[in-house]
Tab-separated table of all heavy atoms in Angstrom:
chain	number	residue	atom	x	y	z
A	56	TYR	N	21.492	-8.248	4.205
A	56	TYR	CA	21.291	-7.326	5.333
A	56	TYR	C	20.394	-7.952	6.349
A	56	TYR	O	19.473	-8.735	5.992
A	56	TYR	CB	20.636	-6.031	4.822
A	56	TYR	CG	21.558	-5.198	3.920
A	56	TYR	CD1	21.529	-5.333	2.558
A	56	TYR	CD2	22.414	-4.220	4.460
A	56	TYR	CE1	22.336	-4.611	1.716
A	56	TYR	CE2	23.241	-3.476	3.611
A	56	TYR	CZ	23.145	-3.644	2.253
A	56	TYR	OH	23.949	-2.897	1.367
A	58	PHE	N	17.873	-7.000	9.781
A	58	PHE	CA	17.179	-5.899	10.421
A	58	PHE	C	16.424	-6.342	11.670
A	58	PHE	O	16.032	-7.527	11.764
A	58	PHE	CB	16.108	-5.319	9.478
A	58	PHE	CG	16.623	-4.861	8.147
A	58	PHE	CD1	16.849	-5.702	7.086
A	58	PHE	CD2	16.891	-3.533	7.946
A	58	PHE	CE1	17.325	-5.281	5.876
A	58	PHE	CE2	17.371	-3.053	6.718
A	58	PHE	CZ	17.616	-3.956	5.714
A	60	TYR	N	12.944	-4.780	13.330
A	60	TYR	CA	11.887	-3.817	13.240
A	60	TYR	C	11.044	-3.950	14.495
A	60	TYR	O	10.878	-5.012	15.093
A	60	TYR	CB	10.981	-4.089	12.043
A	60	TYR	CG	11.581	-3.607	10.732
A	60	TYR	CD1	12.332	-4.496	9.909
A	60	TYR	CD2	11.327	-2.335	10.284
A	60	TYR	CE1	12.815	-4.030	8.713
A	60	TYR	CE2	11.843	-1.861	9.084
A	60	TYR	CZ	12.564	-2.707	8.289
A	60	TYR	OH	13.082	-2.312	7.112
A	62	GLN	N	7.194	-3.078	15.990
A	62	GLN	CA	5.779	-2.762	15.575
A	62	GLN	C	4.953	-2.549	16.901
A	62	GLN	O	4.522	-3.478	17.535
A	62	GLN	CB	5.179	-3.932	14.738
A	62	GLN	CG	3.825	-3.524	14.154
A	62	GLN	CD	3.180	-4.638	13.341
A	62	GLN	OE1	3.303	-5.808	13.663
A	62	GLN	NE2	2.549	-4.234	12.201
A	65	SER	N	0.236	0.723	17.336
A	65	SER	CA	-0.211	1.427	16.151
A	65	SER	C	-0.064	0.677	14.862
A	65	SER	O	-0.611	0.991	13.819
A	65	SER	CB	0.527	2.796	16.008
A	65	SER	OG	1.908	2.523	15.675
A	66	ARG	N	0.782	-0.345	14.935
A	66	ARG	CA	1.156	-1.273	13.820
A	66	ARG	C	1.989	-0.650	12.717
A	66	ARG	O	2.220	-1.242	11.694
A	66	ARG	CB	-0.127	-1.856	13.211
A	66	ARG	CG	-0.855	-2.799	14.189
A	66	ARG	CD	-1.906	-3.657	13.551
A	66	ARG	NE	-3.100	-2.913	13.224
A	66	ARG	CZ	-4.194	-3.466	12.754
A	66	ARG	NH1	-4.283	-4.786	12.547
A	66	ARG	NH2	-5.273	-2.776	12.469
A	67	GLN	N	2.551	0.599	12.971
A	67	GLN	CA	3.456	1.136	12.057
A	67	GLN	C	4.812	0.444	12.237
A	67	GLN	O	5.315	0.305	13.363
A	67	GLN	CB	3.656	2.631	12.339
A	67	GLN	CG	4.770	3.315	11.580
A	67	GLN	CD	4.439	3.516	10.119
A	67	GLN	OE1	3.426	4.120	9.766
A	67	GLN	NE2	5.281	2.973	9.234
A	68	MET	N	5.387	-0.057	11.162
A	68	MET	CA	6.687	-0.730	11.208
A	68	MET	C	7.767	0.334	11.403
A	68	MET	O	7.880	1.273	10.604
A	68	MET	CB	6.951	-1.571	9.982
A	68	MET	CG	5.973	-2.673	9.805
A	68	MET	SD	5.972	-3.895	11.125
A	68	MET	CE	7.548	-4.652	10.902
A	69	ILE	N	8.601	0.154	12.396
A	69	ILE	CA	9.687	1.121	12.696
A	69	ILE	C	10.996	0.399	12.667
A	69	ILE	O	11.177	-0.603	13.381
A	69	ILE	CB	9.484	1.759	14.080
A	69	ILE	CG1	8.102	2.475	14.128
A	69	ILE	CG2	10.600	2.687	14.431
A	69	ILE	CD1	7.716	2.896	15.539
A	70	LEU	N	11.947	0.894	11.871
A	70	LEU	CA	13.266	0.291	11.824
A	70	LEU	C	14.002	0.584	13.099
A	70	LEU	O	14.121	1.763	13.501
A	70	LEU	CB	14.032	0.801	10.649
A	70	LEU	CG	15.490	0.332	10.508
A	70	LEU	CD1	15.554	-1.153	10.267
A	70	LEU	CD2	16.188	1.112	9.347
A	73	ARG	N	19.975	-1.983	11.732
A	73	ARG	CA	20.261	-2.835	10.622
A	73	ARG	C	21.749	-3.162	10.612
A	73	ARG	O	22.570	-2.391	11.133
A	73	ARG	CB	19.859	-2.214	9.285
A	73	ARG	CG	20.658	-1.027	8.837
A	73	ARG	CD	20.219	-0.585	7.451
A	73	ARG	NE	21.038	0.502	6.946
A	73	ARG	CZ	20.705	1.781	7.067
A	73	ARG	NH1	19.586	2.138	7.717
A	73	ARG	NH2	21.465	2.700	6.568
A	75	GLU	N	24.890	-4.817	8.032
A	75	GLU	CA	25.345	-5.355	6.727
A	75	GLU	C	26.201	-6.569	7.062
A	75	GLU	O	27.050	-6.563	7.939
A	75	GLU	CB	26.236	-4.316	6.017
A	75	GLU	CG	25.536	-3.048	5.530
A	75	GLU	CD	25.565	-1.916	6.580
A	75	GLU	OE1	25.711	-2.172	7.782
A	75	GLU	OE2	25.548	-0.775	6.137
A	112	MET	N	5.894	-5.449	19.429
A	112	MET	CA	6.346	-6.692	18.750
A	112	MET	C	7.642	-6.318	18.057
A	112	MET	O	7.781	-5.248	17.409
A	112	MET	CB	5.292	-7.139	17.681
A	112	MET	CG	4.110	-7.837	18.274
A	112	MET	SD	4.496	-9.438	19.033
A	112	MET	CE	4.931	-10.409	17.562
A	114	PHE	N	10.372	-7.706	15.251
A	114	PHE	CA	10.561	-8.658	14.189
A	114	PHE	C	12.028	-8.618	13.665
A	114	PHE	O	12.534	-7.524	13.408
A	114	PHE	CB	9.611	-8.344	12.995
A	114	PHE	CG	8.157	-8.621	13.296
A	114	PHE	CD1	7.310	-7.552	13.627
A	114	PHE	CD2	7.646	-9.881	13.235
A	114	PHE	CE1	6.027	-7.793	13.919
A	114	PHE	CE2	6.289	-10.087	13.496
A	114	PHE	CZ	5.490	-9.039	13.842
A	118	MET	N	17.158	-9.417	4.476
A	118	MET	CA	16.887	-8.903	3.112
A	118	MET	C	17.711	-9.651	2.087
A	118	MET	O	18.933	-9.793	2.246
A	118	MET	CB	17.195	-7.446	3.023
A	118	MET	CG	16.958	-6.845	1.623
A	118	MET	SD	17.172	-5.046	1.581
A	118	MET	CE	15.623	-4.508	2.168
A	121	ASN	N	17.051	-9.356	-3.915
A	121	ASN	CA	15.933	-8.682	-4.578
A	121	ASN	C	15.251	-7.660	-3.711
A	121	ASN	O	14.194	-7.137	-4.016
A	121	ASN	CB	14.866	-9.717	-5.078
A	121	ASN	CG	15.398	-10.616	-6.131
A	121	ASN	OD1	16.117	-10.216	-7.025
A	121	ASN	ND2	15.140	-11.904	-5.989
A	122	TYR	N	15.913	-7.334	-2.593
A	122	TYR	CA	15.384	-6.348	-1.589
A	122	TYR	C	14.085	-6.851	-0.972
A	122	TYR	O	13.358	-6.034	-0.319
A	122	TYR	CB	15.155	-4.968	-2.234
A	122	TYR	CG	16.427	-4.433	-2.830
A	122	TYR	CD1	16.686	-4.472	-4.194
A	122	TYR	CD2	17.388	-3.828	-2.009
A	122	TYR	CE1	17.835	-3.998	-4.693
A	122	TYR	CE2	18.575	-3.347	-2.521
A	122	TYR	CZ	18.825	-3.420	-3.857
A	122	TYR	OH	19.967	-2.936	-4.403
A	123	GLN	N	13.820	-8.111	-1.045
A	123	GLN	CA	12.680	-8.665	-0.330
A	123	GLN	C	13.041	-9.020	1.094
A	123	GLN	O	14.140	-9.485	1.356
A	123	GLN	CB	12.108	-9.907	-1.039
A	123	GLN	CG	11.455	-9.663	-2.371
A	123	GLN	CD	10.921	-10.901	-3.018
A	123	GLN	OE1	11.086	-12.015	-2.518
A	123	GLN	NE2	10.254	-10.711	-4.142
A	124	LEU	N	12.115	-8.786	2.022
A	124	LEU	CA	12.381	-9.113	3.433
A	124	LEU	C	11.803	-10.450	3.800
A	124	LEU	O	10.642	-10.679	3.471
A	124	LEU	CB	11.854	-8.015	4.307
A	124	LEU	CG	12.561	-6.680	4.325
A	124	LEU	CD1	11.776	-5.621	5.032
A	124	LEU	CD2	13.924	-6.827	5.007
A	126	TRP	N	10.753	-12.549	7.033
A	126	TRP	CA	10.503	-12.125	8.395
A	126	TRP	C	10.480	-13.292	9.340
A	126	TRP	O	10.073	-14.435	9.009
A	126	TRP	CB	9.116	-11.444	8.433
A	126	TRP	CG	8.947	-10.212	7.622
A	126	TRP	CD1	8.645	-10.144	6.282
A	126	TRP	CD2	9.163	-8.868	8.035
A	126	TRP	NE1	8.640	-8.823	5.878
A	126	TRP	CE2	8.923	-8.026	6.905
A	126	TRP	CE3	9.535	-8.290	9.256
A	126	TRP	CZ2	9.044	-6.654	6.993
A	126	TRP	CZ3	9.619	-6.897	9.343
A	126	TRP	CH2	9.340	-6.097	8.217
A	127	GLY	N	10.929	-13.014	10.575
A	127	GLY	CA	10.722	-13.936	11.633
A	127	GLY	C	9.281	-13.809	12.164
A	127	GLY	O	8.530	-12.936	11.779
A	128	ALA	N	8.933	-14.737	13.095
A	128	ALA	CA	7.575	-14.764	13.576
A	128	ALA	C	7.294	-13.705	14.613
A	128	ALA	O	6.120	-13.414	14.919
A	128	ALA	CB	7.312	-16.144	14.209
A	129	GLY	N	8.327	-13.060	15.097
A	129	GLY	CA	8.132	-11.949	16.064
A	129	GLY	C	8.245	-12.364	17.482
A	129	GLY	O	8.001	-13.512	17.878
B	36	PHE	N	6.465	-3.210	-2.258
B	36	PHE	CA	6.119	-4.576	-1.754
B	36	PHE	C	4.790	-4.475	-1.028
B	36	PHE	O	4.541	-3.550	-0.296
B	36	PHE	CB	7.179	-5.075	-0.793
B	36	PHE	CG	8.608	-5.173	-1.412
B	36	PHE	CD1	9.467	-4.159	-1.245
B	36	PHE	CD2	8.934	-6.299	-2.160
B	36	PHE	CE1	10.771	-4.239	-1.842
B	36	PHE	CE2	10.204	-6.387	-2.708
B	36	PHE	CZ	11.115	-5.336	-2.547
B	38	TYR	N	2.322	-6.504	1.663
B	38	TYR	CA	2.320	-7.543	2.684
B	38	TYR	C	0.896	-7.701	3.235
B	38	TYR	O	0.096	-6.710	3.252
B	38	TYR	CB	3.278	-7.186	3.844
B	38	TYR	CG	4.681	-6.973	3.496
B	38	TYR	CD1	5.094	-5.676	3.142
B	38	TYR	CD2	5.611	-7.994	3.471
B	38	TYR	CE1	6.460	-5.429	2.804
B	38	TYR	CE2	6.951	-7.766	3.153
B	38	TYR	CZ	7.324	-6.475	2.857
B	38	TYR	OH	8.679	-6.206	2.558
B	40	GLN	N	-0.862	-9.136	6.979
B	40	GLN	CA	-0.529	-9.512	8.335
B	40	GLN	C	-1.784	-9.863	9.077
B	40	GLN	O	-2.679	-9.097	9.238
B	40	GLN	CB	0.197	-8.388	9.039
B	40	GLN	CG	0.697	-8.790	10.486
B	40	GLN	CD	1.435	-7.698	11.154
B	40	GLN	OE1	1.212	-6.476	10.965
B	40	GLN	NE2	2.380	-8.010	12.048
B	43	LYS	N	-1.466	-11.046	15.417
B	43	LYS	CA	-0.440	-11.720	16.194
B	43	LYS	C	0.498	-12.571	15.340
B	43	LYS	O	1.139	-13.536	15.835
B	43	LYS	CB	-1.012	-12.529	17.361
B	43	LYS	CG	-1.808	-11.690	18.321
B	43	LYS	CD	-2.340	-12.554	19.483
B	43	LYS	CE	-3.116	-11.661	20.456
B	43	LYS	NZ	-3.621	-12.431	21.635
B	44	GLN	N	0.562	-12.254	14.069
B	44	GLN	CA	1.457	-13.000	13.175
B	44	GLN	C	2.405	-12.070	12.462
B	44	GLN	O	2.326	-10.829	12.609
B	44	GLN	CB	0.672	-13.797	12.158
B	44	GLN	CG	-0.152	-14.937	12.727
B	44	GLN	CD	-0.741	-15.810	11.684
B	44	GLN	OE1	-0.264	-15.874	10.539
B	44	GLN	NE2	-1.800	-16.508	12.017
B	45	SER	N	3.351	-12.596	11.778
B	45	SER	CA	4.347	-11.858	11.086
B	45	SER	C	3.788	-11.343	9.709
B	45	SER	O	2.654	-11.703	9.348
B	45	SER	CB	5.574	-12.687	10.830
B	45	SER	OG	6.625	-11.948	10.305
B	46	LEU	N	4.583	-10.585	9.031
B	46	LEU	CA	4.162	-10.080	7.675
B	46	LEU	C	4.385	-11.186	6.653
B	46	LEU	O	5.389	-11.853	6.666
B	46	LEU	CB	4.984	-8.863	7.282
B	46	LEU	CG	4.541	-7.517	7.887
B	46	LEU	CD1	4.805	-7.424	9.381
B	46	LEU	CD2	5.219	-6.391	7.147
B	47	MET	N	3.431	-11.282	5.761
B	47	MET	CA	3.571	-12.211	4.701
B	47	MET	C	3.594	-11.487	3.361
B	47	MET	O	2.709	-10.754	3.039
B	47	MET	CB	2.379	-13.194	4.691
B	47	MET	CG	2.436	-14.243	3.585
B	47	MET	SD	0.863	-15.144	3.477
B	47	MET	CE	-0.176	-14.022	2.598
B	48	LEU	N	4.701	-11.650	2.641
B	48	LEU	CA	4.830	-10.938	1.330
B	48	LEU	C	3.826	-11.524	0.335
B	48	LEU	O	3.715	-12.761	0.149
B	48	LEU	CB	6.222	-11.137	0.770
B	48	LEU	CG	6.498	-10.433	-0.554
B	48	LEU	CD1	6.416	-8.910	-0.458
B	48	LEU	CD2	7.880	-10.847	-1.113
B	51	THR	N	5.409	-8.282	-5.332
B	51	THR	CA	6.383	-7.178	-5.554
B	51	THR	C	5.961	-6.484	-6.802
B	51	THR	O	5.722	-7.116	-7.847
B	51	THR	CB	7.802	-7.775	-5.719
B	51	THR	OG1	8.103	-8.555	-4.569
B	51	THR	CG2	8.793	-6.668	-5.937
B	61	GLU	N	3.643	-13.833	-4.955
B	61	GLU	CA	4.199	-15.005	-4.234
B	61	GLU	C	3.287	-16.214	-4.431
B	61	GLU	O	2.090	-16.099	-4.738
B	61	GLU	CB	4.314	-14.657	-2.743
B	61	GLU	CG	5.307	-13.550	-2.460
B	61	GLU	CD	6.711	-13.895	-2.910
B	61	GLU	OE1	7.298	-14.884	-2.464
B	61	GLU	OE2	7.276	-13.133	-3.784
B	93	PHE	N	-4.786	-7.122	7.837
B	93	PHE	CA	-4.049	-5.856	7.826
B	93	PHE	C	-3.104	-5.928	6.638
B	93	PHE	O	-2.322	-6.840	6.522
B	93	PHE	CB	-3.284	-5.722	9.174
B	93	PHE	CG	-2.687	-4.380	9.390
B	93	PHE	CD1	-3.447	-3.214	9.511
B	93	PHE	CD2	-1.293	-4.248	9.537
B	93	PHE	CE1	-2.872	-1.985	9.709
B	93	PHE	CE2	-0.668	-3.002	9.708
B	93	PHE	CZ	-1.491	-1.875	9.865
B	95	ILE	N	-0.075	-4.009	4.403
B	95	ILE	CA	0.990	-2.994	4.514
B	95	ILE	C	1.826	-2.957	3.264
B	95	ILE	O	2.104	-3.994	2.635
B	95	ILE	CB	1.966	-3.350	5.701
B	95	ILE	CG1	1.249	-3.619	7.016
B	95	ILE	CG2	2.994	-2.207	5.904
B	95	ILE	CD1	2.145	-4.068	8.118
B	99	ARG	N	10.897	1.100	-1.994
B	99	ARG	CA	12.328	1.332	-2.077
B	99	ARG	C	12.594	2.573	-2.912
B	99	ARG	O	12.032	2.696	-4.032
B	99	ARG	CB	12.990	0.075	-2.714
B	99	ARG	CG	14.487	0.173	-2.821
B	99	ARG	CD	15.128	-1.108	-3.200
B	99	ARG	NE	16.558	-0.880	-3.399
B	99	ARG	CZ	17.103	-0.644	-4.557
B	99	ARG	NH1	16.396	-0.650	-5.637
B	99	ARG	NH2	18.390	-0.384	-4.646
B	104	THR	N	21.158	3.511	-3.255
B	104	THR	CA	21.729	2.177	-3.606
B	104	THR	C	21.792	1.210	-2.435
B	104	THR	O	22.237	0.112	-2.519
B	104	THR	CB	23.157	2.338	-4.131
B	104	THR	OG1	23.947	3.047	-3.091
B	104	THR	CG2	23.170	3.189	-5.411
B	105	ASN	N	21.257	1.665	-1.309
B	105	ASN	CA	21.303	0.804	-0.151
B	105	ASN	C	19.945	0.020	0.017
B	105	ASN	O	19.119	0.063	-0.862
B	105	ASN	CB	21.648	1.607	1.080
B	105	ASN	CG	20.528	2.634	1.455
B	105	ASN	OD1	19.397	2.465	1.038
B	105	ASN	ND2	20.987	3.613	2.183
B	106	GLU	N	19.848	-0.543	1.115
B	106	GLU	CA	18.776	-1.479	1.350
B	106	GLU	C	17.567	-0.901	2.059
B	106	GLU	O	16.680	-1.652	2.523
B	106	GLU	CB	19.335	-2.622	2.233
B	106	GLU	CG	19.610	-2.237	3.633
B	106	GLU	CD	20.488	-1.071	3.907
B	106	GLU	OE1	21.230	-0.652	2.965
B	106	GLU	OE2	20.569	-0.538	5.005
B	107	LYS	N	17.514	0.393	2.164
B	107	LYS	CA	16.433	1.004	2.944
B	107	LYS	C	15.070	0.853	2.325
B	107	LYS	O	14.889	1.129	1.175
B	107	LYS	CB	16.706	2.475	3.184
B	107	LYS	CG	16.897	2.869	4.605
B	107	LYS	CD	17.123	4.341	4.786
B	107	LYS	CE	17.246	4.660	6.289
B	107	LYS	NZ	17.596	6.052	6.494
B	108	LEU	N	14.099	0.402	3.154
B	108	LEU	CA	12.695	0.317	2.709
B	108	LEU	C	11.875	1.239	3.638
B	108	LEU	O	12.184	1.395	4.813
B	108	LEU	CB	12.183	-1.126	2.871
B	108	LEU	CG	12.741	-2.141	1.890
B	108	LEU	CD1	12.098	-3.528	2.206
B	108	LEU	CD2	12.510	-1.754	0.455
B	110	PHE	N	8.000	2.081	4.970
B	110	PHE	CA	6.704	1.438	5.205
B	110	PHE	C	5.537	2.413	5.269
B	110	PHE	O	5.650	3.463	5.895
B	110	PHE	CB	6.730	0.571	6.439
B	110	PHE	CG	7.498	-0.706	6.331
B	110	PHE	CD1	8.882	-0.700	6.484
B	110	PHE	CD2	6.891	-1.903	5.998
B	110	PHE	CE1	9.640	-1.832	6.341
B	110	PHE	CE2	7.619	-3.056	5.842
B	110	PHE	CZ	8.972	-3.063	5.987
B	111	GLY	N	4.389	1.985	4.694
B	111	GLY	CA	3.177	2.687	4.926
B	111	GLY	C	2.637	2.346	6.277
B	111	GLY	O	3.136	1.400	6.974
B	112	SER	N	1.583	2.992	6.697
B	112	SER	CA	1.038	2.826	8.054
B	112	SER	C	0.042	1.712	8.137
B	112	SER	O	-0.475	1.396	9.200
B	112	SER	CB	0.413	4.132	8.561
B	112	SER	OG	-0.510	4.572	7.595
B	115	GLN	N	-6.377	-1.643	7.617
B	115	GLN	CA	-7.163	-2.719	8.224
B	115	GLN	C	-8.417	-2.921	7.340
B	115	GLN	O	-9.237	-2.025	7.289
B	115	GLN	CB	-7.495	-2.471	9.645
B	115	GLN	CG	-8.423	-3.512	10.275
B	115	GLN	CD	-7.673	-4.860	10.357
B	115	GLN	OE1	-6.592	-4.977	10.826
B	115	GLN	NE2	-8.352	-5.946	9.896
Side-chain angles (χ1 to χ4, degrees):
Chain A
Y56 294 90
F58 303 83
Y60 281 93
Q62 189 179 40
S65 68
R66 295 193 285 185
Q67 172 73 56
M68 297 300 290
I69 301 167
L70 176 64
R73 70 176 183 266
E75 295 93 331
M112 283 292 292
F114 292 99
M118 178 176 278
N121 294 318
Y122 301 100
Q123 291 182 356
L124 287 170
W126 298 87
Chain B
F36 301 96
Y38 304 89
Q40 186 179 29
K43 299 183 180 180
Q44 292 190 23
S45 187
L46 279 69
M47 180 188 77
L48 180 66
T51 302
E61 295 301 300
F93 189 65
I95 308 175
R99 181 169 175 265
T104 56
N105 64 24
E106 73 301 346
K107 239 180 179 177
L108 291 180
F110 285 83
S112 54
Q115 177 64 50

